[in-house]
Amino acid sequence: MLARRAIRTRTTRCSTYSGARCLSSVAVLPDTGIQTFRERAFAPGTPALLPRKSFEGLPAVQKWFFEDSSRLALNRSYLSRYGSAVVPVEISNNEQFSRTEQSLSFFLECVNASSSSFDTRPNRYFSAYVPNARAIKRTKRSNNFFSASTLTAPTARTYLAQAPIADLPQGLRDDVPTPKLVLEAGKGDVYDSSIWLGEAPTYTPLHRDPNPNLFVQLAGTKVVRLFRPDVGRSIFAKVQESIGASASATMRGEEMMRGAEKKALEEEVWSDNDANEFRTATWEAELSAGDGLFIPKGWWHSVKGVGVGMTGSVNWWFR
């Protein structure tokens, strides 16, 4: 009977993050039942939010994060047990961007160094970007956390992005068990899955996935903007023309994360300028810890971590 309840209709609202720009809110399903999900979201290929806090019971929500002086932080004492695990880390430094494989302990060190008190020991992460750099304490008046011969403004940021759950140690895999919704709504198995950890603000540029996607927020807040396949293709084509490029929409690389393409994509997706021709075709969802969003196959989307402190997400792609 629950499956027959009407889905909460998609509404148009002026988002906190969109200024005067009115966006279409993603509808919230009335319950977490498999039949409801299949009929209202999966089968028609329509974005949908699961009822709020549907996934707050995932062990990672409680085990991986904690409140530290009103900021959400990583539980380093727990995660460091798995410090030898190799994970993909994105490092941004001004207009430079690189994606590398590092140990989880390296990533934890990076996060700690960006918010800790002065440490006399050289830090591997900061030394790679500022010779002989060490971490210093952030203050309310200053966001500086580099210390070398002279104080250097912070530029480098790390993001543990798209780390396959299958590659993680068993203990961490147990903290993010595959939801029943993913196992039963599709063909019964998972195409792939990923972990995302980083201090806000974080950013994932406009792209599309080859499979349907369940995106779950573990900690912090993220805002997702989505576009139908035809609208997303139009945005992508417009950006490519504006920068004089001809990249393939199906083969995306690091060019999305730096330079002219990154700036142009972000402007088209996140600008609140009334002249933006795609503003009426923009869908938006805001996710907090325990919230889940279904993103249909082919729908273009961009994700921003907002606020302060740590953000964490996990996603599963349906087969």
Side-chain angles (χ1 to χ4, degrees), residues 138-144:
R138 289 180 177 178
T139 68
K140 293 182 178 180
R141 295 183 178 181
S142 172
N143 197 38
N144 294 329

Side-chain angles (χ1 to χ4, degrees), residues 306-318:
V306 299
V308 296
M310 187 59 56
T311 66
S313 311
V314 57
N315 78 286
W316 292 269
W317 285 285
F318 296 77

Side-chain angles (χ1 to χ4, degrees), residues 91 93 96 106 109-110 113-114 119-136 145-149 152 155-156 158:
I91 303 178
N93 186 40
Q96 298 178 339
F106 174 83
E109 183 181 8
C110 296
S114 68
D119 192 338
T120 57
R121 296 169 299 175
N123 179 276
R124 292 178 295 165
Y125 165 59
F126 291 110
S127 295
Y129 291 93
V130 180
N132 301 314
R134 294 175 173 83
I136 65 170
F145 55 84
F146 282 147
S147 176
S149 57
T152 306
T155 54
T158 56

Side-chain angles (χ1 to χ4, degrees), residues 58-68 71-79 107-108 111 175-176 195-199 216-222 289-290 309-314:
L58 289 175
V61 173
Q62 302 300 324
K63 289 184 175 182
W64 292 11
F65 311 91
F66 73 102
E67 289 284 344
D68 181 22
R71 290 172 59 93
L72 199 62
L74 283 178
N75 186 346
R76 295 177 65 236
S77 62
Y78 175 73
L79 294 174
F107 172 73
L108 295 175
V111 173
D175 292 340
V176 281
I195 296 293
W196 311 75
L197 298 173
E199 284 194 295
V216 172
Q217 192 69 6
L218 300 174
T221 302
K222 284 187 175 177
M310 187 59 56
T311 66
S313 311
V314 57

Side-chain angles (χ1 to χ4, degrees), residues 248-293:
S248 169
T250 58
M251 299 294 291
R252 312 300 296 122
E254 293 184 2
E255 68 277 1
M256 296 191 302
M257 297 299 297
R258 60 188 173 197
E261 181 168 330
K262 176 181 181 294
K263 292 180 180 178
L265 278 174
E266 188 167 8
E267 177 67 20
E268 288 296 334
V269 173
W270 295 95
S271 172
D272 298 322
N273 192 322
D274 288 338
N276 188 321
E277 62 182 289
F278 302 106
R279 68 184 184 277
T280 59
T282 303
W283 296 44
E284 184 180 88
E286 181 182 316
L287 288 82
S288 298
D291 294 342
L293 170 68

